[in-house]
Structure formats: C-alpha cells, structure tokens
Amino acid sequence: MADTIVILDFGSQYTQVIARRIRECNVYSTILRFDTPAKKIAKIYPKGIILSGGPASVCDANAPLLDKNIFELGVPILGICYGMQLIAHFLGGKVEKGLKREYGKTNLTVVDDACLLFKNLPNNLVVWNSHGDKLTALPEGFVVVGITENSDYAAIEYPAKKIFGLQFHPEVVHTPRGKEILSNFVHQICGCDKNWTMRNYIDQAVSQIQQQVGNENVILGLSGGVDSSVATALIHKAIGDQLTCIFVNNGLLRAKESEFVQQVFVQNFKIKLVYEDATDIFLKRLKGVKDPEKKRKIIGKTFIEVFESATKKVGKAKFLAQGTLYPDVIESVPIGGNPASLIKSHHNVGGLPKRMKFELVEPLKCLFKDEVRQLGIELGLPREIVYRQPFPGPGLAVRIVGEVNSERLEILRNADWIVVEEMKNSGWYYKIWQSFAVLIPVRSVGVMGDERTYDYTIAIRAVDSQDGMTADWVKLPYEILEKLSSRIVNEVQGVNRCVFDITSKPPGTIEWE
Ligand code: XMP
C-alpha cells in the first residue's frame, strides 16, 4: 500500500490542485470532506494531513470546521490559508477579519532556517496569496517561520507536534517554488516514500481487477478517447479475453476514426471488439432536426439503445467497465465558492439505464487525467491516443450548426482532417486543449478560377483550457491560419470561406452546439 496523504477539502477551488501536486511528488493523496471524523481518517493510516483553503471565514457562525481529534492523531498537519486559520482557531490563536483581501504575489521572508518546510529553499520566495482573514496572534507552542509585508504570521510551525500553517497557496503555479514546499512536507516531514508511480499502479490495479472479476466477463464501451482507451488497455492486461469492447460508430466520427481505433485495439493489442456500425439509425433519427438540445438527446438515447443491443451479442457478462476518473467521484462540499467537485465538465452524466444490471469496474477511479495519460504510455498505447484532444460524445453533430446529414458530415470531416493535420504538423495540436473545424451551413458568394461559387463556411476553433469549464481562444500564428484557410477552401468541396472563432468561454461554449 502506497503512503497516503489525506487532504481535507474546505471548498477551495485548489483542493484538487493540492492533490495533484502531492502525487507529482510520487506520493498518493486522497481528498476527503472537511468533516470526516478523525476515527475514519485514522483507519487510512495517513502519513500526513493537509487542510485545504476555502471561501469561508472561521469568524462566521456557520464556518466549516473539522473534527478536532485530528490534532491528536499524531501525524503531521499542514494548513493552507483557511486551513491555517482553522488551526489557529482550534489551538488558541487569534484570527481577525481582514479589512481588505490580500490577493496576488508577495515576497515571503523565511525567518527560521530550521523549519523543514523550507529546507533547501532560499530565504526569499515569491508566494501567491488569496485571503481575507488574518492571523493576529499565534496559538501556544507555535513559532513564526515566515513573514510578508502584510503578515507577521505568513508561515508558522508547532515543532513539538509537527503542525504547520501557510497563509499563502504553495499549490498554485504563481508560487514558483511551492511544489518544493509541498515536497518537503510529504518527504522531509511526513517521511513518505516515493512509491506512487504509474508503473507501480499497474501491478496494484491488475491484481485488484483480477480479484474483482474472477472468471466472469467484462464489457466496455470503447470510444477511442483517452479514458476508455487506457481503461481498455489496463483491463485487458489484467483479464485478457474476458474483456470485450463495444465500439459504436454513430456516423458522427472524424475521418478514419473507426479504422484507427480498430487498428490500435484489434490488430496491435488483440483485444476482442464488437464493432457496431449504427450510422444509418443515427442519421435517420437526426433527419430534419435543427435544435441543438434535441440533437443531443436523440444521439444519447440512440447510443444507449445500440449499445444495449450490442451487449446482447457479447454473451453473458457480469461487469461493465468504465473510464471514470477521480474528479468525477470526489464528494462535493456544500460550501459557497467553488467546491472541488464542481471543477469538471461532464456532459455524459446519467450513464446507462438501471435495467442493464452490471456491476461496475472502474480502474481509473482514483486517478487524475495526467496520471491516466502516464498510465497509457506505460501500458504501451500510442501517443496519438494518449495525448489526443477531447472529442464530444455527440461527435461532429455538435460541430454542424443545424441539421446534420451525410453531405454536411462529409464536408466537415474533410475540413476537420486538414485542421488536425496542420495543427500536428506545426506542433500546436498537443500544446492546446482543442482545435477543430465547425460547419456553418450558410452559403456565401465566392470565386474559384473564373467561376462564381455559392458555398458553405468553415469556422476554425482553437481553445486553451484547464478543464473545459472556461477557455481562451488561442492566438494561432497568422501563417498557420493562412495555411488552414487556403487548404480548406481549396481542398474541401462545398466550402468557399473560412473564418476564425475568437470567442472565449464564457460567454461562448467550446463546441458550437
Ligand atoms: P462546451 O461546448 O460545453 O464543452 O464548452 C466543454 C468541453 O466538453 C466537451 N463536450 C463534451 N464531451 N460529451 C462529452 O464527452 C458531450 O456531450 C460533450 N459536449 C461538449 C467539449 O469538447 C469541450 O472539451
């Protein structure tokens, strides 16, 4: 069992970032609700506990508090921002409501060289703050470790009990040496080994899957996206032919996608795969439908029907595997602000109907996306799969404005192919969140040679994002835009105009429908 750091979530928008930074130090971390009882935490045998920040004020009557027996567990504790104020609140310090919020970068001076939190770090550090309340008196037993212009207690320590508090956020990138501070906490102070690696995880997950599944069969809906692909490779490693994947071609896929997925998984990995070409059903049901929500509903419902009938072809299977990730299962914290669990973009919630009585196998349930990618590489999946950009479940249908039909799909596929190709050639594809073509089926006039044309428009969308919830449009170099436009208009029949979408999210969405 890997050494574990427990993170108690007080509703900070950075709770998941703390968890990821700890794992980047090769230490397993798990997020629990702020009010998790100390007894329950003790059963996990954590090597350390981190109290996250949060939007509340310890001065408020309804502030989220913790089980104070946590301070008696005898494991090191690090409180960050609100977490530090909680420590002071419980152990006899004084917290006052600040007159104004301190927000942004500031300089921290480390005044206690002996503090292990800052081992091997300079005495002057740039750190990032975001807090309203302020510590104004230390609890007994604590010493000052770091100060800033605005705070005499920016970093504090209770040496006898290994309890630490930081007013600033070491987890964010704006605290450039923050990861080293967290690394010092988990390695120097908590004594964690560096045993959380995806190579180790494979062994652990393989034996867990084997244990759970026994001799039974497992079905998995393979989309060709990162999560279902990595889940497939991992489960296949564990149980081989007991796994059957179902790949549904809904007719809304990118060019050559179904061939590519079959080549990777059937030819290379020798995975049993049921290929279900349901193009006709999907397109028939989408005929004449213009409303985006209606389109999405039809596609979702049809997918379930097709998938369910395909499962019957597989024979008896007790388990259904899914590529659920950690951010989808973290319990939400009902405090104002931004609970960790809200930072996710999941359009496919709801899943399969209850009548399909499967038990779930979810071997990625404790992993973050970047870990899933590393795992995919360890399992030998091609980089093209592991680092591919997100692609929406309803496929090209949400990138065609209005009605979807095979003529429009063909045009969009050809344009999309050029976008992907040029983005890859220029090195931009893997640098950004998403880049794709959108078909605007409005005709405008153009000239080609001596002829007048009256054709559709393609919009190019390129966005950068951390999680899909917000996004900025990417300032692609003019040379790339020029190449894209000229190739699309020249090579894609039915298109005579190309535009670039310069809308961020919000107020726009990433997909057009
Ligand atoms: P929007 O358009 O809502 O997209 O800004 C945010 C992110 O989610 C992806 N997306 C989907 N993913 N099923 C998915 O699995 C869907 O129905 C779906 N719709 C949008 C989108 O590509 C972007 O990354």
mmCIF file with all atom_site columns, all heavy atoms in Angstrom, residues 296 345 347-348 390-394 399 433-434 468 505 509-511, ligand 1:
data_model
loop_
_atom_site.group_PDB
_atom_site.id
_atom_site.type_symbol
_atom_site.label_atom_id
_atom_site.label_alt_id
_atom_site.label_comp_id
_atom_site.label_asym_id
_atom_site.label_entity_id
_atom_site.label_seq_id
_atom_site.pdbx_PDB_ins_code
_atom_site.Cartn_x
_atom_site.Cartn_y
_atom_site.Cartn_z
_atom_site.occupancy
_atom_site.B_iso_or_equiv
_atom_site.pdbx_formal_charge
_atom_site.auth_seq_id
_atom_site.auth_comp_id
_atom_site.auth_asym_id
_atom_site.auth_atom_id
_atom_site.pdbx_PDB_model_num
ATOM   1   N N   . ARG A 1 296 ? -28.755 16.450 -29.317 1.00 0.00 ? 296 ARG A N   1
ATOM   2   C CA  . ARG A 1 296 ? -28.016 15.759 -28.253 1.00 0.00 ? 296 ARG A CA  1
ATOM   3   C C   . ARG A 1 296 ? -28.842 14.644 -27.624 1.00 0.00 ? 296 ARG A C   1
ATOM   4   O O   . ARG A 1 296 ? -28.338 13.556 -27.352 1.00 0.00 ? 296 ARG A O   1
ATOM   5   C CB  . ARG A 1 296 ? -27.621 16.757 -27.156 1.00 0.00 ? 296 ARG A CB  1
ATOM   6   C CG  . ARG A 1 296 ? -26.396 17.569 -27.480 1.00 0.00 ? 296 ARG A CG  1
ATOM   7   C CD  . ARG A 1 296 ? -26.097 18.546 -26.364 1.00 0.00 ? 296 ARG A CD  1
ATOM   8   N NE  . ARG A 1 296 ? -24.840 19.239 -26.613 1.00 0.00 ? 296 ARG A NE  1
ATOM   9   C CZ  . ARG A 1 296 ? -23.650 18.783 -26.227 1.00 0.00 ? 296 ARG A CZ  1
ATOM   10  N NH1 . ARG A 1 296 ? -23.544 17.654 -25.559 1.00 0.00 ? 296 ARG A NH1 1
ATOM   11  N NH2 . ARG A 1 296 ? -22.552 19.452 -26.504 1.00 0.00 ? 296 ARG A NH2 1
ATOM   12  N N   . SER A 1 345 ? -16.120 18.889 -16.241 1.00 0.00 ? 345 SER A N   1
ATOM   13  C CA  . SER A 1 345 ? -17.066 19.135 -17.311 1.00 0.00 ? 345 SER A CA  1
ATOM   14  C C   . SER A 1 345 ? -17.544 17.780 -17.752 1.00 0.00 ? 345 SER A C   1
ATOM   15  O O   . SER A 1 345 ? -16.833 17.026 -18.382 1.00 0.00 ? 345 SER A O   1
ATOM   16  C CB  . SER A 1 345 ? -16.369 19.896 -18.418 1.00 0.00 ? 345 SER A CB  1
ATOM   17  O OG  . SER A 1 345 ? -16.233 19.123 -19.542 1.00 0.00 ? 345 SER A OG  1
ATOM   18  N N   . HIS A 1 347 ? -20.590 15.972 -19.592 1.00 0.00 ? 347 HIS A N   1
ATOM   19  C CA  . HIS A 1 347 ? -21.861 16.080 -20.293 1.00 0.00 ? 347 HIS A CA  1
ATOM   20  C C   . HIS A 1 347 ? -22.561 14.731 -20.320 1.00 0.00 ? 347 HIS A C   1
ATOM   21  O O   . HIS A 1 347 ? -23.710 14.638 -20.677 1.00 0.00 ? 347 HIS A O   1
ATOM   22  C CB  . HIS A 1 347 ? -21.645 16.538 -21.726 1.00 0.00 ? 347 HIS A CB  1
ATOM   23  C CG  . HIS A 1 347 ? -21.031 17.896 -21.813 1.00 0.00 ? 347 HIS A CG  1
ATOM   24  N ND1 . HIS A 1 347 ? -21.728 18.988 -22.219 1.00 0.00 ? 347 HIS A ND1 1
ATOM   25  C CD2 . HIS A 1 347 ? -19.794 18.332 -21.519 1.00 0.00 ? 347 HIS A CD2 1
ATOM   26  C CE1 . HIS A 1 347 ? -20.936 20.044 -22.202 1.00 0.00 ? 347 HIS A CE1 1
ATOM   27  N NE2 . HIS A 1 347 ? -19.762 19.670 -21.781 1.00 0.00 ? 347 HIS A NE2 1
ATOM   28  N N   . ASN A 1 348 ? -21.825 13.700 -19.986 1.00 0.00 ? 348 ASN A N   1
ATOM   29  C CA  . ASN A 1 348 ? -22.391 12.368 -20.176 1.00 0.00 ? 348 ASN A CA  1
ATOM   30  C C   . ASN A 1 348 ? -22.874 11.750 -18.874 1.00 0.00 ? 348 ASN A C   1
ATOM   31  O O   . ASN A 1 348 ? -22.951 10.545 -18.739 1.00 0.00 ? 348 ASN A O   1
ATOM   32  C CB  . ASN A 1 348 ? -21.338 11.437 -20.800 1.00 0.00 ? 348 ASN A CB  1
ATOM   33  C CG  . ASN A 1 348 ? -20.828 12.018 -22.091 1.00 0.00 ? 348 ASN A CG  1
ATOM   34  O OD1 . ASN A 1 348 ? -21.534 12.768 -22.751 1.00 0.00 ? 348 ASN A OD1 1
ATOM   35  N ND2 . ASN A 1 348 ? -19.605 11.680 -22.454 1.00 0.00 ? 348 ASN A ND2 1
ATOM   36  N N   . PRO A 1 390 ? -9.760  16.253 -26.430 1.00 0.00 ? 390 PRO A N   1
ATOM   37  C CA  . PRO A 1 390 ? -11.107 15.742 -26.136 1.00 0.00 ? 390 PRO A CA  1
ATOM   38  C C   . PRO A 1 390 ? -11.988 15.823 -27.383 1.00 0.00 ? 390 PRO A C   1
ATOM   39  O O   . PRO A 1 390 ? -11.827 16.727 -28.205 1.00 0.00 ? 390 PRO A O   1
ATOM   40  C CB  . PRO A 1 390 ? -11.639 16.712 -25.080 1.00 0.00 ? 390 PRO A CB  1
ATOM   41  C CG  . PRO A 1 390 ? -10.481 17.484 -24.584 1.00 0.00 ? 390 PRO A CG  1
ATOM   42  C CD  . PRO A 1 390 ? -9.421  17.439 -25.624 1.00 0.00 ? 390 PRO A CD  1
ATOM   43  N N   . PHE A 1 391 ? -12.884 14.855 -27.471 1.00 0.00 ? 391 PHE A N   1
ATOM   44  C CA  . PHE A 1 391 ? -13.846 14.852 -28.574 1.00 0.00 ? 391 PHE A CA  1
ATOM   45  C C   . PHE A 1 391 ? -15.217 14.560 -27.964 1.00 0.00 ? 391 PHE A C   1
ATOM   46  O O   . PHE A 1 391 ? -15.362 13.618 -27.194 1.00 0.00 ? 391 PHE A O   1
ATOM   47  C CB  . PHE A 1 391 ? -13.457 13.768 -29.595 1.00 0.00 ? 391 PHE A CB  1
ATOM   48  C CG  . PHE A 1 391 ? -14.323 13.765 -30.825 1.00 0.00 ? 391 PHE A CG  1
ATOM   49  C CD1 . PHE A 1 391 ? -14.219 14.796 -31.754 1.00 0.00 ? 391 PHE A CD1 1
ATOM   50  C CD2 . PHE A 1 391 ? -15.242 12.749 -31.055 1.00 0.00 ? 391 PHE A CD2 1
ATOM   51  C CE1 . PHE A 1 391 ? -15.017 14.808 -32.894 1.00 0.00 ? 391 PHE A CE1 1
ATOM   52  C CE2 . PHE A 1 391 ? -16.043 12.748 -32.192 1.00 0.00 ? 391 PHE A CE2 1
ATOM   53  C CZ  . PHE A 1 391 ? -15.925 13.780 -33.119 1.00 0.00 ? 391 PHE A CZ  1
ATOM   54  N N   . PRO A 1 392 ? -16.214 15.374 -28.276 1.00 0.00 ? 392 PRO A N   1
ATOM   55  C CA  . PRO A 1 392 ? -17.505 15.216 -27.582 1.00 0.00 ? 392 PRO A CA  1
ATOM   56  C C   . PRO A 1 392 ? -18.244 13.944 -27.965 1.00 0.00 ? 392 PRO A C   1
ATOM   57  O O   . PRO A 1 392 ? -18.131 13.484 -29.111 1.00 0.00 ? 392 PRO A O   1
ATOM   58  C CB  . PRO A 1 392 ? -18.290 16.448 -28.040 1.00 0.00 ? 392 PRO A CB  1
ATOM   59  C CG  . PRO A 1 392 ? -17.663 16.867 -29.324 1.00 0.00 ? 392 PRO A CG  1
ATOM   60  C CD  . PRO A 1 392 ? -16.215 16.478 -29.244 1.00 0.00 ? 392 PRO A CD  1
ATOM   61  N N   . GLY A 1 393 ? -18.985 13.393 -27.021 1.00 0.00 ? 393 GLY A N   1
ATOM   62  C CA  . GLY A 1 393 ? -19.777 12.188 -27.276 1.00 0.00 ? 393 GLY A CA  1
ATOM   63  C C   . GLY A 1 393 ? -20.668 12.318 -28.512 1.00 0.00 ? 393 GLY A C   1
ATOM   64  O O   . GLY A 1 393 ? -20.687 11.417 -29.353 1.00 0.00 ? 393 GLY A O   1
ATOM   65  N N   . PRO A 1 394 ? -21.411 13.423 -28.660 1.00 0.00 ? 394 PRO A N   1
ATOM   66  C CA  . PRO A 1 394 ? -22.285 13.555 -29.843 1.00 0.00 ? 394 PRO A CA  1
ATOM   67  C C   . PRO A 1 394 ? -21.515 13.884 -31.125 1.00 0.00 ? 394 PRO A C   1
ATOM   68  O O   . PRO A 1 394 ? -22.129 14.143 -32.165 1.00 0.00 ? 394 PRO A O   1
ATOM   69  C CB  . PRO A 1 394 ? -23.220 14.716 -29.472 1.00 0.00 ? 394 PRO A CB  1
ATOM   70  C CG  . PRO A 1 394 ? -22.976 15.018 -28.055 1.00 0.00 ? 394 PRO A CG  1
ATOM   71  C CD  . PRO A 1 394 ? -21.618 14.518 -27.705 1.00 0.00 ? 394 PRO A CD  1
ATOM   72  N N   . ARG A 1 399 ? -20.847 20.080 -34.071 1.00 0.00 ? 399 ARG A N   1
ATOM   73  C CA  . ARG A 1 399 ? -19.978 20.999 -34.818 1.00 0.00 ? 399 ARG A CA  1
ATOM   74  C C   . ARG A 1 399 ? -20.581 21.316 -36.189 1.00 0.00 ? 399 ARG A C   1
ATOM   75  O O   . ARG A 1 399 ? -19.912 21.859 -37.060 1.00 0.00 ? 399 ARG A O   1
ATOM   76  C CB  . ARG A 1 399 ? -18.588 20.393 -34.977 1.00 0.00 ? 399 ARG A CB  1
ATOM   77  C CG  . ARG A 1 399 ? -17.913 20.222 -33.637 1.00 0.00 ? 399 ARG A CG  1
ATOM   78  C CD  . ARG A 1 399 ? -16.564 19.572 -33.705 1.00 0.00 ? 399 ARG A CD  1
ATOM   79  N NE  . ARG A 1 399 ? -16.006 19.446 -32.366 1.00 0.00 ? 399 ARG A NE  1
ATOM   80  C CZ  . ARG A 1 399 ? -14.892 18.808 -32.089 1.00 0.00 ? 399 ARG A CZ  1
ATOM   81  N NH1 . ARG A 1 399 ? -14.199 18.218 -33.061 1.00 0.00 ? 399 ARG A NH1 1
ATOM   82  N NH2 . ARG A 1 399 ? -14.454 18.738 -30.851 1.00 0.00 ? 399 ARG A NH2 1
ATOM   83  N N   . TRP A 1 433 ? -5.792  22.746 -25.731 1.00 0.00 ? 433 TRP A N   1
ATOM   84  C CA  . TRP A 1 433 ? -6.892  21.867 -25.292 1.00 0.00 ? 433 TRP A CA  1
ATOM   85  C C   . TRP A 1 433 ? -7.616  21.255 -26.481 1.00 0.00 ? 433 TRP A C   1
ATOM   86  O O   . TRP A 1 433 ? -7.801  20.047 -26.551 1.00 0.00 ? 433 TRP A O   1
ATOM   87  C CB  . TRP A 1 433 ? -7.840  22.703 -24.429 1.00 0.00 ? 433 TRP A CB  1
ATOM   88  C CG  . TRP A 1 433 ? -9.057  22.017 -23.914 1.00 0.00 ? 433 TRP A CG  1
ATOM   89  C CD1 . TRP A 1 433 ? -10.308 22.088 -24.450 1.00 0.00 ? 433 TRP A CD1 1
ATOM   90  C CD2 . TRP A 1 433 ? -9.170  21.166 -22.768 1.00 0.00 ? 433 TRP A CD2 1
ATOM   91  N NE1 . TRP A 1 433 ? -11.190 21.338 -23.701 1.00 0.00 ? 433 TRP A NE1 1
ATOM   92  C CE2 . TRP A 1 433 ? -10.513 20.770 -22.659 1.00 0.00 ? 433 TRP A CE2 1
ATOM   93  C CE3 . TRP A 1 433 ? -8.251  20.711 -21.809 1.00 0.00 ? 433 TRP A CE3 1
ATOM   94  C CZ2 . TRP A 1 433 ? -10.976 19.943 -21.645 1.00 0.00 ? 433 TRP A CZ2 1
ATOM   95  C CZ3 . TRP A 1 433 ? -8.723  19.881 -20.796 1.00 0.00 ? 433 TRP A CZ3 1
ATOM   96  C CH2 . TRP A 1 433 ? -10.064 19.500 -20.725 1.00 0.00 ? 433 TRP A CH2 1
ATOM   97  N N   . GLN A 1 434 ? -8.041  22.101 -27.410 1.00 0.00 ? 434 GLN A N   1
ATOM   98  C CA  . GLN A 1 434 ? -8.800  21.601 -28.556 1.00 0.00 ? 434 GLN A CA  1
ATOM   99  C C   . GLN A 1 434 ? -8.627  22.484 -29.779 1.00 0.00 ? 434 GLN A C   1
ATOM   100 O O   . GLN A 1 434 ? -8.481  23.698 -29.658 1.00 0.00 ? 434 GLN A O   1
ATOM   101 C CB  . GLN A 1 434 ? -10.301 21.570 -28.231 1.00 0.00 ? 434 GLN A CB  1
ATOM   102 C CG  . GLN A 1 434 ? -10.779 20.233 -27.730 1.00 0.00 ? 434 GLN A CG  1
ATOM   103 C CD  . GLN A 1 434 ? -12.215 20.286 -27.260 1.00 0.00 ? 434 GLN A CD  1
ATOM   104 O OE1 . GLN A 1 434 ? -12.600 21.214 -26.552 1.00 0.00 ? 434 GLN A OE1 1
ATOM   105 N NE2 . GLN A 1 434 ? -13.008 19.303 -27.619 1.00 0.00 ? 434 GLN A NE2 1
ATOM   106 N N   . GLY A 1 468 ? -12.002 22.535 -19.386 1.00 0.00 ? 468 GLY A N   1
ATOM   107 C CA  . GLY A 1 468 ? -13.177 22.658 -20.249 1.00 0.00 ? 468 GLY A CA  1
ATOM   108 C C   . GLY A 1 468 ? -14.263 23.576 -19.701 1.00 0.00 ? 468 GLY A C   1
ATOM   109 O O   . GLY A 1 468 ? -15.198 23.914 -20.397 1.00 0.00 ? 468 GLY A O   1
ATOM   110 N N   . LYS A 1 505 ? -14.646 31.231 -23.543 1.00 0.00 ? 505 LYS A N   1
ATOM   111 C CA  . LYS A 1 505 ? -15.727 30.649 -22.748 1.00 0.00 ? 505 LYS A CA  1
ATOM   112 C C   . LYS A 1 505 ? -15.536 31.035 -21.290 1.00 0.00 ? 505 LYS A C   1
ATOM   113 O O   . LYS A 1 505 ? -14.481 30.714 -20.749 1.00 0.00 ? 505 LYS A O   1
ATOM   114 C CB  . LYS A 1 505 ? -15.709 29.132 -22.893 1.00 0.00 ? 505 LYS A CB  1
ATOM   115 C CG  . LYS A 1 505 ? -16.709 28.448 -21.945 1.00 0.00 ? 505 LYS A CG  1
ATOM   116 C CD  . LYS A 1 505 ? -16.657 26.951 -22.016 1.00 0.00 ? 505 LYS A CD  1
ATOM   117 C CE  . LYS A 1 505 ? -17.665 26.360 -21.050 1.00 0.00 ? 505 LYS A CE  1
ATOM   118 N NZ  . LYS A 1 505 ? -17.746 24.912 -21.121 1.00 0.00 ? 505 LYS A NZ  1
ATOM   119 N N   . THR A 1 509 ? -19.430 28.829 -25.708 1.00 0.00 ? 509 THR A N   1
ATOM   120 C CA  . THR A 1 509 ? -19.041 27.488 -25.272 1.00 0.00 ? 509 THR A CA  1
ATOM   121 C C   . THR A 1 509 ? -17.948 27.035 -26.233 1.00 0.00 ? 509 THR A C   1
ATOM   122 O O   . THR A 1 509 ? -17.690 27.696 -27.236 1.00 0.00 ? 509 THR A O   1
ATOM   123 C CB  . THR A 1 509 ? -20.228 26.506 -25.324 1.00 0.00 ? 509 THR A CB  1
ATOM   124 O OG1 . THR A 1 509 ? -20.844 26.622 -26.598 1.00 0.00 ? 509 THR A OG1 1
ATOM   125 C CG2 . THR A 1 509 ? -21.228 26.805 -24.226 1.00 0.00 ? 509 THR A CG2 1
ATOM   126 N N   . ILE A 1 510 ? -17.326 25.919 -25.913 1.00 0.00 ? 510 ILE A N   1
ATOM   127 C CA  . ILE A 1 510 ? -16.251 25.451 -26.791 1.00 0.00 ? 510 ILE A CA  1
ATOM   128 C C   . ILE A 1 510 ? -16.854 24.885 -28.068 1.00 0.00 ? 510 ILE A C   1
ATOM   129 O O   . ILE A 1 510 ? -16.523 25.299 -29.176 1.00 0.00 ? 510 ILE A O   1
ATOM   130 C CB  . ILE A 1 510 ? -15.368 24.409 -26.059 1.00 0.00 ? 510 ILE A CB  1
ATOM   131 C CG1 . ILE A 1 510 ? -14.657 25.074 -24.879 1.00 0.00 ? 510 ILE A CG1 1
ATOM   132 C CG2 . ILE A 1 510 ? -14.363 23.793 -27.036 1.00 0.00 ? 510 ILE A CG2 1
ATOM   133 C CD1 . ILE A 1 510 ? -13.806 24.154 -24.029 1.00 0.00 ? 510 ILE A CD1 1
ATOM   134 N N   . GLU A 1 511 ? -17.758 23.916 -27.903 1.00 0.00 ? 511 GLU A N   1
ATOM   135 C CA  . GLU A 1 511 ? -18.465 23.395 -29.071 1.00 0.00 ? 511 GLU A CA  1
ATOM   136 C C   . GLU A 1 511 ? -19.514 24.428 -29.468 1.00 0.00 ? 511 GLU A C   1
ATOM   137 O O   . GLU A 1 511 ? -19.933 25.236 -28.646 1.00 0.00 ? 511 GLU A O   1
ATOM   138 C CB  . GLU A 1 511 ? -19.144 22.060 -28.719 1.00 0.00 ? 511 GLU A CB  1
ATOM   139 C CG  . GLU A 1 511 ? -18.208 20.997 -28.152 1.00 0.00 ? 511 GLU A CG  1
ATOM   140 C CD  . GLU A 1 511 ? -17.182 20.508 -29.154 1.00 0.00 ? 511 GLU A CD  1
ATOM   141 O OE1 . GLU A 1 511 ? -17.355 20.754 -30.363 1.00 0.00 ? 511 GLU A OE1 1
ATOM   142 O OE2 . GLU A 1 511 ? -16.197 19.872 -28.727 1.00 0.00 ? 511 GLU A OE2 1
HETATM 143 P P1  . XMP B 2 .   ? -18.626 23.128 -24.096 1.00 0.00 ? 1   XMP B P1  1
HETATM 144 O O1  . XMP B 2 .   ? -19.063 23.119 -25.516 1.00 0.00 ? 1   XMP B O1  1
HETATM 145 O O2  . XMP B 2 .   ? -19.731 22.815 -23.139 1.00 0.00 ? 1   XMP B O2  1
HETATM 146 O O3  . XMP B 2 .   ? -17.568 21.965 -23.957 1.00 0.00 ? 1   XMP B O3  1
HETATM 147 O O4  . XMP B 2 .   ? -17.910 24.396 -23.730 1.00 0.00 ? 1   XMP B O4  1
HETATM 148 C C1  . XMP B 2 .   ? -16.718 21.763 -22.864 1.00 0.00 ? 1   XMP B C1  1
HETATM 149 C C2  . XMP B 2 .   ? -15.877 20.536 -23.132 1.00 0.00 ? 1   XMP B C2  1
HETATM 150 O O5  . XMP B 2 .   ? -16.697 19.366 -23.130 1.00 0.00 ? 1   XMP B O5  1
HETATM 151 C C3  . XMP B 2 .   ? -16.652 18.713 -24.376 1.00 0.00 ? 1   XMP B C3  1
HETATM 152 N N1  . XMP B 2 .   ? -18.023 18.272 -24.682 1.00 0.00 ? 1   XMP B N1  1
HETATM 153 C C4  . XMP B 2 .   ? -18.457 17.030 -24.483 1.00 0.00 ? 1   XMP B C4  1
HETATM 154 N N2  . XMP B 2 .   ? -17.824 15.934 -24.046 1.00 0.00 ? 1   XMP B N2  1
HETATM 155 N N3  . XMP B 2 .   ? -19.809 14.689 -24.298 1.00 0.00 ? 1   XMP B N3  1
HETATM 156 C C5  . XMP B 2 .   ? -18.505 14.765 -23.983 1.00 0.00 ? 1   XMP B C5  1
HETATM 157 O O6  . XMP B 2 .   ? -17.923 13.746 -23.620 1.00 0.00 ? 1   XMP B O6  1
HETATM 158 C C6  . XMP B 2 .   ? -20.516 15.754 -24.723 1.00 0.00 ? 1   XMP B C6  1
HETATM 159 O O7  . XMP B 2 .   ? -21.713 15.681 -24.994 1.00 0.00 ? 1   XMP B O7  1
HETATM 160 C C7  . XMP B 2 .   ? -19.798 16.984 -24.830 1.00 0.00 ? 1   XMP B C7  1
HETATM 161 N N4  . XMP B 2 .   ? -20.154 18.242 -25.220 1.00 0.00 ? 1   XMP B N4  1
HETATM 162 C C8  . XMP B 2 .   ? -19.032 19.007 -25.106 1.00 0.00 ? 1   XMP B C8  1
HETATM 163 C C9  . XMP B 2 .   ? -16.134 19.728 -25.358 1.00 0.00 ? 1   XMP B C9  1
HETATM 164 O O8  . XMP B 2 .   ? -15.493 19.109 -26.462 1.00 0.00 ? 1   XMP B O8  1
HETATM 165 C C10 . XMP B 2 .   ? -15.211 20.535 -24.503 1.00 0.00 ? 1   XMP B C10 1
HETATM 166 O O9  . XMP B 2 .   ? -13.954 19.914 -24.361 1.00 0.00 ? 1   XMP B O9  1
#
